[in-house]
């Protein structure tokens, strides 16, 4: 009887051990399937990251363009003021070269160095030239910015139109300001 009880208990323990082993195997199998990220979740994360990156790049580009336009406005204002100081009511012969060499403008606008001042050939925020010439009406000058980014040339024109003789709010329809291609011209 002792033998049967011991054998019965051993069989029950063995069956319980097998059941326990099955449960543990199932749990570890489930764990291995649940570990890590699925391809879908990684792809979703990459799409979200790409969208955020595109958004940040466009915000940065917008801020950079705004800063360049603000800089172009300030520099153009300085050039027009210098031309007025240089020539008074008769601006015949005024040029960027003269204004730079005579010290009316900074090296930031003129380019070059203190010992070898430039003439505004690469001074604007887009790396293009500031060109200055006497208008048909010799009491006025024409200031031209070249190499302006074609995608924002109208925005630059709108900003600089305020400096024109007619103090226009927008470049469109302004008789003394134009913005075409990659060039903005203001007459004052």
């Amino acid at each position: 009887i002792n033998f049967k009880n011991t054998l019965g208990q051993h069989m029950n323990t063995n069956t319980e051990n097998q059941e326990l082993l099955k449960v543990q195997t199932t749990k570890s199998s489930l764990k291995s399937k649940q570990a890590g990220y699925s391809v879908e979740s990684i792809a979703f994360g990459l799409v979200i990251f790409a969208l955020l990156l595109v958004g940040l790049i466009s915000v940065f580009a917008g801020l950079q363009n705004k800063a360049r336009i603000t800089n172009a406005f300030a520099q153009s204002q300085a050039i027009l003021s210098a031309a007025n100081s240089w020539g008074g009511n008769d601006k015949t012969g005024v040029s960027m070269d003269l204004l730079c060499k005579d010290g009316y403008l900074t090296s930031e606008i003129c380019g070059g160095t203190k010992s070898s001042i430039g003439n505004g050939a690469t001074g604007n925020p887009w790396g293009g030239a500031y060109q200055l010439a006497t208008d048909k009406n010799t009491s006025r000058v024409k200031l031209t910015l070249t190499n302006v980014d074609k995608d924002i040339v109208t925005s630059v024109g709108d900003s600089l139109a305020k400096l024109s003789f007619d103090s226009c709010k927008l470049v469109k329809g302004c008789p003394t300001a134009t913005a075409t291609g990659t060039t903005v011209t203001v007459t004052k």
Side-chain angles (χ1 to χ4, degrees):
I1 298 180
N2 280 344
F3 179 70
K4 283 185 181 180
N5 282 342
T6 306
L7 185 62
Q9 286 174 350
H10 181 68
M11 287 181 76
N12 279 344
T13 306
N14 196 19
T15 304
E16 287 172 5
N17 284 342
Q18 287 176 349
E19 289 297 319
L20 184 59
L21 184 60
K22 282 182 187 177
V23 169
Q24 287 175 345
T25 304
T26 304
K27 283 183 181 178
S28 69
S29 170
L30 287 174
K31 282 183 184 177
S32 67
K33 288 181 183 176
Q34 291 175 351
Y37 295 102
S38 69
V39 173
E40 293 86 7
S41 63
I42 291 172
F44 179 75
L46 288 174
V47 167
I48 295 298
F49 177 75
L51 290 173
L52 288 172
L53 188 60
V54 166
L56 286 174
I57 289 170
S58 65
V59 166
F60 176 73
L63 290 174
Q64 188 177 31
N65 284 335
K66 189 173 182 174
R68 285 180 175 171
I69 292 170
T70 300
N71 192 18
F73 182 87
Q75 290 180 343
S76 296
Q77 192 173 35
I79 293 167
L80 293 170
S81 176
N84 191 47
S85 295
W86 180 87
N89 287 332
D90 185 7
K91 301 192 179 50
T92 303
V94 72
S95 68
M96 286 297 295
D97 195 43
L98 285 173
L99 293 179
C100 289
K101 286 184 179 173
D102 290 350
Y104 284 90
L105 297 171
T106 66
S107 60
E108 180 186 359
I109 295 170
C110 296
T113 62
K114 287 187 178 190
S115 61
S116 174
I117 196 96
N119 61 2
T122 58
N124 82 39
W126 295 274
Y130 282 115
Q131 299 169 344
L132 191 65
T134 308
D135 186 45
K136 291 176 187 174
N137 176 344
T138 59
S139 67
R140 298 182 190 173
V141 292
K142 281 190 176 203
L143 174 63
T144 302
L145 284 75
T146 63
N147 201 40
V148 176
D149 182 351
K150 67 180 178 179
D151 294 332
I152 61 168
V153 73
T154 302
S155 297
V156 175
D158 288 343
S159 176
L160 298 185
K162 296 170 184 78
L163 298 174
S164 71
F165 179 78
D166 294 309
S167 300
C168 302
K169 290 185 180 185
L170 300 173
V171 71
K172 185 178 181 181
C174 184
T176 53
T178 61
T180 56
T182 59
T183 304
V184 176
T185 302
V186 177
T187 303
K188 180 155 185 156

